[in-house]
Amino acid sequence: MSDPRFTPLRDRHEALGASFTDFGGWQMPVRYTSDLAEHHAVRQAAGIFDISHMAEFLVTGESAAAFLDYALAGRLSTMPIGKAKYSLVLAEAGGIVDDVIVYRIAEDRYLVIANADNRGYVDAALASRVRSFPSLLERALPARGPDEERSFAGFIGDRGVDVEDVSDSFALLAVQGPAAQAIVAATEGITELSTPWAEQKYYAWADALFLGEPLLIARTGYTGEDGFELMVRASDAPALWDALIVAGAPHGLVPAGLAARDTLRLEAGMPLYGHELTLDTKPAQAGLGRVVVADKESFVGKDAVDAAPDAPVLVGLVAEGKRAGRAGYAVVDDDGAVLGEITSGALSPTLGHPIAMAYLTPASAEAGTTVFLDVRGTKIPATVTALPFYRRTK
């Protein structure tokens, strides 16, 4: 068994009294004070998260755009420089290897951020796709004579596409909440922002410097609130954390852990790999059919991406009272027949009632349908609802 890993901010978390939990082999802060207090701070002011456990891959080369169109479910080649896009890494059988965010850094350079727990799987998938990519390119090349060299060894690499796992070189911090922009904009040491704050849109990124060193600031997040994710060299992370904490103090910024992050993303209807997304899940089942660009000539998983008509689909469930269904609990009908299973559930801190995401049979998945949560043998009435449960007003 390998030793647990810690982010570059371990000392900061311990000094704040954080409780730690294992997440994908990393020891991550699960809370600092109170799950509820941290959750409410993000909804009402701002929270700062250490997400340095996430995996980062650089995809570079003159064929980087075409490669990502082949390797991922979306069309990344048309994405402008300065933008980001949510996408999926699919298996040949059409299931989901991971969900990722892709940033176009330059004409021939992309950054792919994957889930920490899936770092090895995404690394292996991209490496395999680099090896299979030439067969796709070969069909587009003009015919050559029998004596002409027809080698792709040089094409893949220096002249084509290269994939590099740079996860250990960088750290990621997230500032999320209504006050996020004011906090990041006021952070001492952040200079030379390439895009003015008023012009930086959602799912876009800007170049900047922090204490003279490169900083990427992306308007992305996993909480349902406005916010930013900041990527710096791992050695610069403690100083950036400290500067953000100081800038955030007048705005009510608090450190927040994985427990609050989970209830925030659940309220926002955002899937979590290993819960709503798995290798056995097809994108359309999870409500992610829009992410798949099916008319591309070829991409991994294209021939198997369609789900069976009777395959379970992801829905939201709302209930009354205080007893929440948890992951793995059955969803049943009035007679006790199993309709599906909860993948994530909690008593919503913002809404004040139980919410859950679950996979149900298509016949029981229509909004407004009454079902029952099997909570340790007690049937709790619940209503099927569209996702998300919570949407910020501005």
Side-chain angles (χ1 to χ4, degrees):
M1 184 176 181
S2 59
D3 292 334
R5 303 190 66 185
F6 290 86
T7 78
L9 297 169
R10 175 182 183 177
D11 291 347
R12 300 305 194 269
H13 302 319
E14 290 178 341
L16 289 165
S19 299
F20 290 84
T21 188
D22 177 80
F23 191 90
W26 293 81
Q27 285 294 300
M28 298 297 297
V30 67
R31 68 183 58 82
Y32 297 85
T33 55
S34 154
D35 301 353
L36 287 176
E38 293 167 20
H39 180 109
H40 288 311
V42 174
R43 289 280 181 251
Q44 298 165 9
I48 181 171
F49 300 85
D50 179 6
I51 53 172
S52 301
H53 60 311
M54 301 291 281
E56 295 89 33
F57 300 88
L58 281 178
V59 180
T60 59
E62 64 183 36
S63 292
F67 169 74
L68 286 174
D69 281 354
Y70 167 70
L72 305 182
R75 179 172 280 122
L76 291 309
S77 58
T78 58
M79 180 169 60
I81 297 169
K83 296 295 186 181
K85 183 177 287 189
Y86 179 83
S87 196
L88 299 170
V89 183
L90 300 180
E92 290 281 2
I96 300 172
V97 175
D98 199 14
D99 60 334
V100 298
I101 297 181
V102 183
Y103 302 80
R104 191 163 197 172
I105 306 300
E107 190 67 26
D108 59 353
R109 180 175 292 259
Y110 291 79
L111 172 69
V112 179
I113 297 187
N115 286 296
D117 211 20
N118 289 334
R119 176 179 174 179
Y121 298 113
V122 173
D123 191 18
L126 293 177
S128 173
R129 288 160 208 208
V130 167
R131 293 191 293 271
S132 62
F133 183 49
S135 63
L136 176 64
L137 297 175
E138 185 174 10
R139 296 199 296 271
L141 293 179
R144 301 183 182 185
D147 297 331
E148 291 185 272
E149 182 181 4
R150 197 173 178 82
S151 169
F152 290 90
F155 192 89
I156 298 301
D158 293 342
R159 296 196 303 113
V161 60
D162 182 67
V163 178
E164 182 183 3
D165 182 344
V166 296
S167 307
D168 295 335
S169 299
F170 294 96
L172 272 174
L173 307 183
V175 179
Q176 302 283 299
Q181 179 175 315
I183 292 167
V184 180
T187 300
E188 186 173 354
I190 294 181
T191 59
E192 299 189 28
L193 189 71
S194 63
T195 304
W197 292 110
E199 298 177 14
Q200 190 168 353
K201 305 300 183 183
Y202 189 50
Y203 264 68
W205 63 270
D207 266 326
L209 296 178
F210 176 66
L211 301 179
E213 298 297 332
L215 169 68
L216 183 146
I217 303 176
R219 199 161 204 156
T220 50
Y222 193 53
T223 64
E225 295 296 337
D226 189 20
F228 297 86
E229 295 177 325
L230 299 91
M231 182 174 171
V232 292
R233 294 187 311 182
S235 58
D236 295 327
L240 179 59
W241 174 276
D242 293 345
L244 289 165
I245 291 288
V246 170
H251 299 277
L253 177 73
V254 304
L258 291 181
R261 188 171 168 84
D262 191 50
T263 51
L264 289 160
R265 69 91 193 168
L266 174 57
E267 290 180 346
M270 295 177 168
L272 175 63
Y273 198 90
H275 288 249
E276 288 71 44
L277 308 179
T278 71
L279 268 177
D280 296 322
T281 309
K282 300 293 181 71
Q285 292 178 257
L288 298 176
R290 68 188 184 283
V291 178
V292 180
V293 181
D295 65 355
K296 291 190 297 182
E297 178 184 355
S298 180
F299 62 91
V300 176
K302 177 181 174 71
D303 295 336
V305 75
D306 293 333
D310 60 348
V313 294
L314 187 66
V315 301
L317 298 174
V318 296
E320 297 181 356
K322 300 297 182 182
R323 298 188 68 184
R326 305 293 180 178
Y329 286 15
V331 181
V332 301
D333 65 15
D334 195 27
D335 296 323
V338 175
L339 303 173
E341 184 176 289
I342 293 173
T343 53
S344 298
L347 177 62
S348 167
T350 303
L351 304 174
H353 57 72
I355 59 173
M357 288 194 279
Y359 278 96
L360 300 185
T361 59
S364 59
E366 185 177 351
T369 301
T370 297
V371 296
F372 298 86
L373 314 181
D374 186 349
V375 180
R376 298 181 179 179
T378 300
K379 289 169 59 178
I380 306 294
T383 303
V384 176
T385 187
L387 296 169
F389 304 102
Y390 166 88
R391 195 187 302 273
R392 72 177 187 267
T393 57
K394 62 179 180 177

